[in-house]
Amino acid sequence: MLFQVGGQGARPTFFEMAAAQQLPASLRGALTYSIGVLALRRPFLHKVLDYEDEFFALLMLVLETHSLRNTDASFSESLYGLRRRAAKIRTKQADIRSKSNDGIQHSSLEKRQRVLSVVFLVILPYLKSKLHSIYNKEREARLQASLWGPGDERFEDVDYFDEAEASIASRTSTETEATIRTRLAKNIQKIIGVCYPWLHATTEGLTFTYQLLYLLDATGFYSVGLHALGIHVCRATGQELMDTSSRISKIRNRERERLPGPPWLKAVQGALLKCTYAVLDYAQTGLIAAVFIFKMMEWWYQSAEERMSAPTVYPPPPPPPPPKVAKDGIPLPPDRTICPLCSQKRANPSVVTVSGFVFCYACIHKYVSQYKRCPVTLMPADIDQIRRLFHDM
């Protein structure tokens, strides 16, 4: 058979692994939506949304650590009846010839593998999310710089009627106020903006390759992280599922016995530990219920009937073509950040509404006051038709 589609054997199917991998993303969407709704009545919850990455990473750190210690599986894998096993290649010839498990022996996870599993499940996704946000900010900054020039040369609280010399002086004073930390942060952002697309393409390509090989039964590792850790994900047997509760109780009793201090202090610590375990158990159940409710609400509000009854949304009309440059008008420079009048970087950019072309405010105010027309199209204009552009707000 080319690849598994059923539930036979200890090896999970591709669809089970994909569902377990996508569960944290669904959980994050459910939590973000729920907190966003509650924030409408409790504004202080907006602080949680401001630190969404850190909040979700801390939550998953607790859940993944708790799940790996008790069930040898991640939070999402334990919900699908899956377990993580250390894969060790057998060295004996007789074992290599055996058909079962393809010459690979499975054993319980070591402490090092549990710790590294938490790193791959929580820490690395958190770092990738932060790098992605930094890259998006850097890309927006580069796009804005290509349209309006570098950020250091933007308009800064000066009088609209100042001359170009005053604008140059203000830009010079602004540049001298830049700190070393700000420059270092900008350099780091530029490095991330250059390197992140290659890093993202590499990780996505490796992920796709491993998933395709797993689908075709060419490898037993579903992802690069599992291969690096030497871990196979297997189905839990019926006996393992039945023994899970007894195993968890044994681990918790052993931890309570190791508590230091006199008997009364051990009793207090044991009660607190028992309450903590109860909260974690109820939190797991509540999070699964939140994902289920989120999916139901998503299906309810985006049903086929609603989409069919929704009005047709037509694309916006294309913008009108720009006016043509007059034969005797001032030609436009190739760089869009250059003022056509002074041939310098625009200071206090302002637009002539009759034509749409942008100039320095001092330059266009002086020109229109004298000639009563647009310098590029020669269309009649007045100083009342000059508008400042606040692109940095």
Side-chain angles (χ1 to χ4, degrees):
M1 185 169 61
L2 184 60
F3 54 85
Q4 292 182 352
V5 293
Q8 302 176 358
R11 183 178 186 271
T13 63
F14 173 82
F15 304 103
E16 289 176 305
M17 297 297 296
Q21 187 183 34
Q22 294 174 0
L23 183 61
S26 300
L27 176 61
R28 179 169 183 169
L31 290 177
T32 303
Y33 177 79
S34 302
I35 296 175
V37 173
L38 295 176
L40 297 177
R41 294 180 175 271
R42 301 291 185 271
F44 68 90
L45 291 176
H46 284 291
K47 296 182 179 180
V48 177
L49 296 178
D50 294 337
Y51 298 95
E52 177 185 348
D53 293 333
E54 289 74 12
F55 172 76
F56 185 75
L58 180 61
L59 176 64
M60 294 306 298
L61 179 63
V62 175
L63 292 178
E64 299 292 3
T65 303
H66 176 71
S67 181
L68 284 168
R69 184 176 58 179
N70 294 329
T71 63
D72 276 351
S74 67
F75 171 68
S76 57
E77 291 166 355
S78 62
L79 299 177
Y80 286 91
L82 305 178
R83 297 293 183 267
R84 294 193 169 202
R85 297 290 180 262
K88 298 180 180 179
I89 300 177
R90 296 174 179 174
T91 57
K92 295 182 179 181
Q93 190 69 16
D95 292 334
I96 295 178
R97 292 176 181 175
S98 62
K99 296 181 179 179
S100 61
N101 293 333
D102 297 333
I104 295 178
Q105 184 179 10
H106 293 147
S107 61
S108 300
L109 294 180
E110 301 174 357
K111 183 178 180 180
R112 176 186 63 86
Q113 291 176 321
R114 291 192 181 96
V115 174
L116 292 178
S117 295
V118 174
V119 173
F120 276 89
L121 291 171
V122 181
I123 306 301
L124 293 184
Y126 168 74
L127 294 178
K128 184 179 179 181
S129 177
K130 301 304 290 184
L131 289 176
H132 185 72
S133 62
I134 294 175
Y135 169 73
N136 286 336
K137 292 180 181 178
E138 174 63 19
R139 185 176 61 178
E140 292 177 0
R142 282 184 295 171
L143 179 61
Q144 191 172 12
S146 65
L147 295 175
W148 306 104
D152 294 338
E153 298 180 359
R154 294 177 187 170
F155 173 74
E156 299 288 347
D157 295 337
V158 295
D159 191 358
Y160 293 166
F161 298 92
D162 285 348
E163 297 296 332
E165 292 79 3
S167 301
I168 295 176
S170 63
R171 293 200 304 271
T172 305
S173 61
T174 304
E175 291 177 358
T176 57
E177 295 175 357
T179 61
I180 299 177
R181 182 179 301 178
T182 304
R183 294 177 182 177
L184 180 61
K186 290 183 179 180
N187 292 333
I188 294 175
Q189 290 180 358
K190 290 180 180 179
I191 294 174
I192 293 176
V194 174
C195 298
Y196 179 78
W198 296 97
L199 178 63
H200 180 70
T202 302
T203 55
E204 293 297 323
L206 289 175
T207 300
F208 173 76
T209 302
Y210 269 86
Q211 291 180 0
L212 180 62
L213 293 176
Y214 187 88
L215 180 65
L216 300 177
D217 287 342
T219 182
F221 302 101
Y222 182 78
S223 65
V224 184
L226 294 175
H227 197 173
L229 299 177
I231 294 176
H232 275 178
V233 179
C234 307
R235 283 200 187 93
T237 61
Q239 188 63 33
E240 288 178 339
L241 295 176
M242 294 175 61
D243 295 342
T244 300
S245 58
S246 61
R247 178 188 174 186
I248 294 175
S249 62
K250 289 180 180 178
I251 294 175
R252 293 178 179 179
N253 290 333
R254 194 181 305 117
E255 290 181 353
R256 282 195 291 266
E257 292 174 357
R258 294 178 180 176
L259 293 175
W264 66 269
L265 183 58
K266 288 184 178 181
V268 174
Q269 293 176 346
L272 294 176
L273 198 60
K274 187 176 181 179
C275 294
T276 303
Y277 289 142
V279 169
L280 288 175
D281 293 337
Y282 283 116
Q284 288 183 345
T285 306
L287 290 174
I288 299 307
V291 173
F292 177 76
I293 295 174
F294 174 73
K295 291 297 182 182
M296 288 294 296
M297 294 178 63
E298 187 178 30
W299 171 80
W300 179 267
Y301 287 106
Q302 295 182 358
S303 60
E305 292 80 8
E306 183 180 0
R307 289 195 299 269
M308 292 177 61
S309 61
T312 303
V313 178
Y314 295 98
K324 296 182 179 180
V325 179
K327 183 178 180 180
D328 297 331
I330 298 176
L332 295 175
D335 188 355
R336 289 179 294 180
T337 63
I338 299 298
C339 174
L341 290 173
C342 63
S343 300
Q344 302 293 329
K345 289 285 186 178
R346 286 195 298 262
N348 305 345
S350 303
V351 61
V352 181
T353 58
V354 295
S355 62
F357 291 106
V358 184
F359 312 85
C360 297
Y361 182 83
C363 299
I364 191 61
H365 187 274
K366 181 178 180 180
Y367 185 92
V368 173
S369 300
Q370 183 177 358
Y371 296 102
K372 305 295 183 181
R373 65 185 183 184
C374 172
V376 177
T377 61
L378 303 184
M379 299 172 62
D382 193 4
I383 57 174
D384 294 334
Q385 296 173 319
I386 300 175
R387 296 291 183 272
R388 279 281 292 112
L389 297 179
F390 299 94
H391 59 271
D392 54 349
M393 304 181 87

